[in-house]
């Protein structure tokens, strides 16, 4: 019996999340080069990004259900194999159509990371530690975004963009070796010590019953309106820095990671703050709602970018918004395990991811059209308003954050 193994398990998920974002970030980092080489418009580039989001949205819900049924070990193995093969296939693309197909396949695989991670947190961590566990694996997203840009740019200058996709895509297979060798579910004795429930398939709640709970809709709508903040930076930051502030690819390599580095701090503080407040005797309800409001306020404050007179002030305002999103999402992603038993956590987390993906898809398509016709100003105004709407709906529907009764 070794309850401390939970930190190894979440460490493995951290590494998977880091690789997930390196693979995801390759196209957006090289966007100025790829858009130029293939003579793409902003709307065409938005279309490529949108095919990823179509698959990502659908796969969130399906992956959550799959993980609940077959377990996280087999689920993660399937997901990372699919997304790694899709990432490497980008090297063969010769046009927008092929890139769209490979982005679609990448989205199908990558989406499984989040419901799988939420399920591991529910199976291995007690309530007081879950948000901090979430912050550890979510920091992989921020750190992956930080290190991806300089790594990808360096590989591009050394080997070209096709080889860059092959190298970054192969990382998942090295992780898979570690995963298969090290991961296992907690034993009954470890669950007893940790105070967590066993995830079983026998009493898995059907989707039709889950969506009757307003708490599920709180999570889905909250993420539908708020996740576009994060996706704006994932998909458009390098192009924004290139076209609005005139940065070349080498300069983007140091500038683009800044908001993601700050977001990593937000991720860890979002989880650490929850652990601290719960340890001081705050209820789960009060803790989650307080931290969700703080995160939403930071995201909305990102509208200050409209006053930015330099690339440095623009990066500062974007960093505040990115900090707020990661602070916010760590607490929101913990809600499925606050409300539901382990055997339903993957399904509910997947539904939340579906809402996030659909919201991001609609926003990404709108962004391409808005930028082509009006520039970035209306996009930046909208992205400051959305998290206020999302968090308001979430809090209105959430009720008291506690286990739901069947």
């Amino acid at each position: 019996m070794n309850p401390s193994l939970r930190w190894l398990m979440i460490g493995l998920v951290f590494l998977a999340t880091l690789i997930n974002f390196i693979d995801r970030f390759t196209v957006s980092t090289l966007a100025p080069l790829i858009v130029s080489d293939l003579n793409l418009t902003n709307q065409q580039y938005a279309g490529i990004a949108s095919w990823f989001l179509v698959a990502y949205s659908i796969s969130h819900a399906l992956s959550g259900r799959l993980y609940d049924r077959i377990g996280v070990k087999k689920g993660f193995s399937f997901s990372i194999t699919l997304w790694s093969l899709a990432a490497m296939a980008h090297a063969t693309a010769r046009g927008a159509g092929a890139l769209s197909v490979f982005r679609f396949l990448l989205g199908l695989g990558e989406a499984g990371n989040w419901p799988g991670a939420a399920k591991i947190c529910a199976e291995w961590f007690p309530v007081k530690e879950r948000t901090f566990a979430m912050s550890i694996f979510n920091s992989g997203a921020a750190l992956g975004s930080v290190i991806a840009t300089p790594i990808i740019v360096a590989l591009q200058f050394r080997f070209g963009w096709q080889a860059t996709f092959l190298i970054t895509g192969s990382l998942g297979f090295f992780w898979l070796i570690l995963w298969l060798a090290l991961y296992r579910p907690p034993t009954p004795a470890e669950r007893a010590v940790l105070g967590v429930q066993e995830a079983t398939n026998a009493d898995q709640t059907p989707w039709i019953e889950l969506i009757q709970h307003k708490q599920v809709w709180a999570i889905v709508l909250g993420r539908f309106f708020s996740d576009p903040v994060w996706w704006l930076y994932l998909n458009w930051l390098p192009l924004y820095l290139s076209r609005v502030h005139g940065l070349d690819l080498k300069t983007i390599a140091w500038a683009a990671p800044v908001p993601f580095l700050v977001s990593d701090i937000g991720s860890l503080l979002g989880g650490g703050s929850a652990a601290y407040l719960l340890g001081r005797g705050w209820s789960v309800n009060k803790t989650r709602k307080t931290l969700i409001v703080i995160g939403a306020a930071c995201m909305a404050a990102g509208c200050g970018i409209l006053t930015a007179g330099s690339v440095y002030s623009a990066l500062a305002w974007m960093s505040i918004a990115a900090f707020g999103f990661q602070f916010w999402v760590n607490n929101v992603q913990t809600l499925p395990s606050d409300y539901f038993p382990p055997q339903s956590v993957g399904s509910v987390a997947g539904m939340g991811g579906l809402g996030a993906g659909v919201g991001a898809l609609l926003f990404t398509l709108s962004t391409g059209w808005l930028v082509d016709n009006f520039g970035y100003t209306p996009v930046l105004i909208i992205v400051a308003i959305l998290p206020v709407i999302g968090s308001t709906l979430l809090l209105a529907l959430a009720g008291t954050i506690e286990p739901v009764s069947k």
Side-chain angles (χ1 to χ4, degrees), residues 45-47 49-50 53 231 235-236 359-369:
Y45 174 72
S50 296
L53 286 166
W231 286 94
N235 286 329
W236 294 94
L361 170 62
L362 295 175
F363 182 75
T364 298
L365 289 171
S366 301
T367 298
W369 183 82

Side-chain angles (χ1 to χ4, degrees), residues 14 17-26 28-29 114 137-153 230-231 233-235 237-238 252-264 322 325-326:
F14 163 84
T17 307
L18 187 148
I19 294 168
N20 186 297
F21 266 74
I22 291 175
D23 288 339
R24 183 182 310 185
F25 220 66
T26 306
S28 60
T29 298
W114 274 263
F137 94 75
N138 255 333
S139 68
L143 184 59
S145 303
V146 169
I147 67 174
T149 303
I151 289 174
I152 291 164
V153 170
W230 184 245
W231 286 94
Y233 300 128
L234 288 182
N235 286 329
L237 180 56
I252 289 172
W254 69 259
V258 172
F260 299 109
L261 180 62
V262 177
S263 78
D264 204 10
F325 176 79
Q326 285 295 332

Side-chain angles (χ1 to χ4, degrees), residues 160-404:
W161 66 266
Q162 289 91 344
T164 298
F165 281 111
L166 291 174
I167 295 168
T168 56
S170 67
L171 294 175
F173 294 108
F174 292 101
W175 178 89
L176 185 59
I177 295 171
L178 290 175
W179 177 251
L180 293 174
L182 297 174
Y183 184 80
R184 65 169 177 80
T187 65
E190 288 166 341
R191 287 195 298 270
V193 171
L194 294 169
V196 297
Q197 300 179 49
E198 180 180 8
T200 62
N201 296 329
D203 55 351
Q204 193 177 47
T205 307
W207 271 336
I208 193 67
E209 290 185 23
L210 289 173
I211 63 174
Q212 294 176 31
H213 292 284
K214 66 176 184 178
Q215 293 87 347
V216 171
W217 289 103
I219 297 167
V220 170
L221 292 175
R223 297 203 61 189
F224 174 86
F225 285 102
S226 302
D227 273 59
V229 174
W230 184 245
W231 286 94
L232 174 68
Y233 300 128
L234 288 182
N235 286 329
W236 294 94
L237 180 56
L239 275 177
Y240 169 82
L241 293 173
S242 172
R243 293 181 174 176
V244 175
H245 294 282
L247 303 189
D248 59 23
L249 197 58
K250 289 184 177 179
T251 310
I252 289 172
W254 69 259
V258 172
F260 299 109
L261 180 62
V262 177
S263 78
D264 204 10
I265 299 171
S267 177
L268 294 172
L269 279 179
S273 298
Y276 173 77
L277 293 174
L278 290 168
R280 292 291 298 269
W282 281 39
S283 68
V284 172
N285 181 63
K286 183 178 179 181
T287 298
R288 300 279 187 257
K289 290 180 177 178
T290 299
L291 299 181
I292 284 169
V293 169
I294 292 172
C298 291
M299 285 190 276
C303 66
I305 192 175
L306 295 169
T307 66
S310 70
V311 66
Y312 301 105
S313 56
L315 287 170
W317 287 112
M318 286 188 284
S319 296
I320 293 172
F323 172 96
F325 176 79
Q326 285 295 332
F327 191 96
W328 180 91
V329 80
N330 272 309
N331 286 277
V332 174
Q333 286 180 324
T334 311
L335 293 177
S337 59
D338 290 333
Y339 287 127
F340 298 96
Q343 61 268 23
S344 297
V345 168
S347 297
V348 177
M351 290 179 188
L354 173 61
V358 172
L361 170 62
L362 295 175
F363 182 75
T364 298
L365 289 171
S366 301
T367 298
W369 183 82
L370 286 169
V371 171
D372 274 342
N373 291 278
F374 303 104
Y376 283 94
T377 297
V379 174
L380 296 171
I381 293 172
I382 292 169
V383 85
I385 297 171
L386 288 177
V388 177
I389 297 173
S391 297
T392 300
L393 289 171
L394 189 158
L395 295 175
L397 292 169
T400 302
I401 301 175
E402 61 185 6
V404 299

Side-chain angles (χ1 to χ4, degrees), residues 117-160:
K119 191 169 179 64
I120 287 175
C121 288
E123 291 182 1
W124 273 98
F125 289 87
V127 173
K128 289 184 178 180
E129 293 180 349
R130 280 179 194 162
T131 309
F132 184 61
M134 285 280 186
S135 73
I136 292 174
F137 94 75
N138 255 333
S139 68
L143 184 59
S145 303
V146 169
I147 67 174
T149 303
I151 289 174
I152 291 164
V153 170
L155 289 172
Q156 146 62 26
F157 280 109
R158 179 68 179 85
F159 301 107

